[in-house]
């Protein structure tokens, strides 16, 4: 265990080392050997930069590509959230009734969680990639099958998924605002969506529950229909926490001029908004500019918590001929990549205001308990102190903490941690505190709350 004084020593040593690294990098840059970002402290990866703005930056991932070295290294370096591109869908997880297969989905979840990335769950109830047996069921059987599917798939990853797309693409395109025909809609009627959300809440109370759709990015008849449904759910207490905007754009369906306004009106209903499947056909500056607009729209909406692009590299995109992603087929960064990183790094949030972010790792597990470590990372400005909250999940209890000054709420589950000699952090610098959790049978990872920095 490191005492506060050795922690202080360590951080002043790392400041000196950092200064040396920066000075050396400056010399190399002057000699034209490496490129430096515009400001000394600008984050250099999408995930780190988004984290400084309190957001995630994710990608869709295919399990069968994880063995390709350049794919995995690009994923691991740049992104801090993943969505299984196909592996959690109904046809992948329950091809025959009540016989579940999770191998490929497990691979993605394990890859992500062992590297501290979050996972979006995609998707539980959807008309597409749905095995034909589902369409052959009568209403009673279909209702049972839908709820069983939600319970089994969400149960498998309980406590490990940040947000689930509970229902995907339930509305028709065009001006009708009507529901799309599907086995669920046709046999169970309008109530199937709310039933799915209620089942989902019970199946994993820690996951945020999202409705996800496309062509809902601007204000139009389809997004109005989704908006009215979400407003109604909020008014009646149907559990919904987030709305996903797929954001598949091309020249026939460009980034709408009212994209930000549309995100904001949903956010004003009290739900998070997330950009869940972003890809934009094109190349060069035009594509880069469209990407900037999407990132800036999300940054301007405080409840827009993250962006996921629908793949790592153009060569594996579901629309490969559109070259719609941030890395080309050789994993080179495209102008669109630079535009996204610059937009994330631009002044306003990451550009000087004191801030900090939290990440969690389980460091040890034995017997009836586990040790957790929370890393506090300053944003692009130095900070003199921080206040971090962490919630454990009853009946868990924290038995001991280190490298911080703890206080507790009356329930004994919400830990507020302040520094103990490790409050001062340089821009981008980090420190950690730790704790032991008595699991009492519940091995769910703690939930990170806010990190509030003192300038
Ligand atoms: C796509 C995948 O990218 C393809 O590999 C698959 O063949 C079809 O589905 N909306 C969604 C995603 O919600 O699940 C879809 O993903 C793209 C459109």
């Amino acid at each position: 265990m490191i005492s506060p004084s050795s922690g202080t020593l360590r951080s002043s040593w790392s400041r000196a080392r950092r200064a040396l690294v920066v000075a050396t990098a400056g010399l190399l840059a002057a000699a034209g050997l490496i490129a430096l970002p515009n400001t000394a402290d600008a984050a250099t990866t999408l995930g780190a930069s988004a984290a400084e703005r309190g957001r995630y930056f994710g990608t869709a991932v295919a399990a069968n590509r994880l063995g390709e070295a350049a794919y995995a290294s690009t994923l691991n370096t740049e992104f801090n959230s993943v969505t299984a591109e196909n592996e959690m869908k109904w046809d992948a997880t329950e091809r025959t009734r009540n016989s579940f297969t999770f191998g490929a989905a497990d691979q993605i979840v394990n890859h992500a969680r062992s590297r501290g990335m979050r996972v979006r769950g995609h998707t539980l109830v959807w008309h597409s990639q749905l095995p034909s047996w589902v369409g052959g069921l009568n209403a009673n059987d279909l209702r049972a099958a839908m709820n069983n599917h939600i319970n089994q798939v969400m149960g498998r990853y309980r406590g490990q998924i940040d947000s689930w797309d509970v229902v995907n693409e339930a509305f028709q395109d065009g001006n009708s605002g009507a529901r799309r025909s599907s086995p669920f809609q046709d046999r169970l009627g309008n109530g199937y969506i709310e039933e799915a959300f209620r089942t989902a809440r019970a199946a994993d109370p820690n996951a945020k529950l999202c409705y996800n759709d496309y062509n809902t990015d601007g204000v139009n008849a389809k997004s109005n229909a989704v908006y009215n449904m979400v407003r109604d759910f909020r008014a009646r207490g149907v559990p919904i926490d987030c709305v996903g905007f797929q954001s598949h754009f091309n020249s026939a369906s460009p980034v709408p001029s009212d994209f930000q306004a549309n995100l904001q009106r949903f956010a004003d209903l009290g739900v998070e908004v997330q950009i869940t499947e972003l890809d934009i056909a094109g190349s060069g500056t035009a594509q880069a500019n469209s990407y900037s607009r999407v990132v800036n729209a999300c940054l301007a909406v405080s409840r827009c918590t993250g962006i996921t692009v629908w793949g790592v590299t153009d060569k594996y995109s579901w629309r490969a001929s559109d070259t719609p992603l941030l890395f080309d087929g050789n994993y080179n960064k495209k102008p669109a990549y630079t535009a996204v990183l610059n937009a994330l790094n631009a002044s306003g949030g990451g550009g000087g205001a004191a801030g900090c972010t939290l990440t969690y790792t389980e460091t040890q597990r034995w017997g009836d308990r586990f040790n957790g470590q929370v890393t506090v990372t300053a944003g692009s400005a130095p900070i003199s102190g921080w206040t971090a909250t962490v919630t454990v999940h009853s009946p868990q209890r924290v038995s001991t903490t280190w490298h911080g000054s703890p206080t507790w709420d009356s329930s004994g589950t919400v830990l507020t941690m302040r520094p103990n000699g490790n409050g001062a952090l340089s821009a981008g610098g980090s420190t950690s505190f730790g704790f032991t959790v008595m699991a009492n049978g519940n091995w769910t990872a703690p939930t990170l709350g806010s990190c509030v920095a003192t300038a």
Side-chain angles (χ1 to χ4, degrees), residues 30 158 293 311 323 377:
R158 192 178 157 104
R293 287 190 47 218
T323 61
T377 304

Side-chain angles (χ1 to χ4, degrees), residues 18-322:
R18 185 182 168 84
L20 186 65
V21 169
V22 169
T24 312
L27 288 175
L28 290 173
L33 296 175
I34 59 165
L36 279 183
N38 295 339
T39 63
D41 291 315
T44 54
T45 67
L46 303 172
S49 185
E52 287 188 353
R53 312 294 297 265
R55 291 167 170 85
Y56 65 83
F57 204 97
T59 179
V61 165
N64 63 2
R65 305 293 183 195
L66 289 171
E68 186 180 319
Y71 183 96
S73 69
T74 306
L75 164 65
N76 299 346
T77 305
E78 292 290 344
F79 298 96
N80 56 9
S81 172
V82 305
T83 306
E85 186 171 357
N86 290 297
E87 292 78 350
M88 289 189 185
K89 292 172 180 175
W90 198 313
D91 64 354
T93 51
E94 193 186 5
R95 178 164 282 284
T96 51
R97 189 170 182 185
N98 209 24
S99 160
F100 288 85
T101 45
F102 291 115
D106 283 356
Q107 225 187 311
I108 291 175
V109 172
N110 293 338
H111 183 99
R113 287 184 47 86
S114 64
R115 290 167 177 80
M117 303 174 185
R118 61 175 93 191
V119 183
R120 295 194 82 260
H122 177 80
T123 179
L124 297 164
V125 181
W126 186 29
H127 67 277
S128 184
Q129 293 179 274
L130 185 67
S132 54
W133 64 263
V134 181
L137 301 177
N138 65 33
N140 282 343
D141 281 354
L142 180 61
R143 183 183 306 283
M146 178 182 84
N147 289 323
N148 183 50
H149 184 79
I150 294 169
N151 283 327
Q152 297 298 321
V153 179
M154 286 187 83
R156 173 80 175 187
Y157 303 108
R158 192 178 157 104
Q160 302 182 39
I161 304 283
D162 178 74
S163 303
W164 261 110
D165 293 331
V166 178
V167 176
N168 197 31
E169 302 181 354
F171 287 85
Q172 265 176 31
D173 284 316
N175 290 327
S176 70
R179 292 289 187 82
R180 178 197 294 275
S181 166
S182 72
F184 309 105
Q185 181 67 37
D186 301 348
R187 296 229 171 98
L188 306 180
N190 284 345
Y192 86 89
I193 299 185
E194 101 175 61
E195 178 161 352
F197 275 84
R198 290 187 197 280
T199 303
R201 176 66 93 225
D204 185 352
N206 293 312
K208 285 176 272 188
L209 307 181
C210 306
Y211 175 79
N212 192 52
D213 214 327
Y214 68 94
N215 283 353
T216 50
D217 314 292
V219 176
N220 57 39
K222 188 172 176 183
S223 68
N224 287 346
V226 176
Y227 179 86
N228 289 336
M229 177 186 77
V230 175
R231 188 175 54 185
D232 170 58
F233 279 15
R234 301 288 295 174
R236 291 191 296 113
V238 178
I240 184 166
D241 309 301
C242 37
V243 176
F245 298 83
Q246 292 185 11
S247 306
H248 295 293
F249 297 120
N250 56 31
S251 56
S253 170
V255 183
S257 57
D258 55 3
F259 187 49
Q260 180 184 322
N262 189 48
L263 296 177
Q264 187 65 58
R265 72 169 175 152
F266 277 87
D268 290 343
L269 294 174
V271 288
E272 271 185 26
V273 293
Q274 303 181 15
I275 295 165
T276 52
E277 304 182 15
L278 177 63
D279 55 10
I280 307 178
S283 62
T285 312
Q287 183 180 47
N289 289 343
S290 295
Y291 265 102
S292 301
R293 287 190 47 218
V294 172
V295 173
N296 286 330
C298 180
L299 291 175
V301 175
S302 59
R303 283 202 173 100
C304 181
T305 53
I307 298 174
T308 298
V309 289
W310 204 240
V312 176
T313 157
D314 280 342
K315 70 175 166 176
Y316 298 141
S317 163
W318 72 311
R319 293 173 167 176
S321 62
D322 285 349

Side-chain angles (χ1 to χ4, degrees), residues 74 78 312-314 325-328 331-334 337:
T74 306
E78 292 290 344
V312 176
T313 157
D314 280 342
L325 297 170
L326 303 178
F327 292 87
D328 72 16
Y331 299 96
N332 294 312
K333 294 168 179 172
K334 296 166 59 181
Y337 170 94

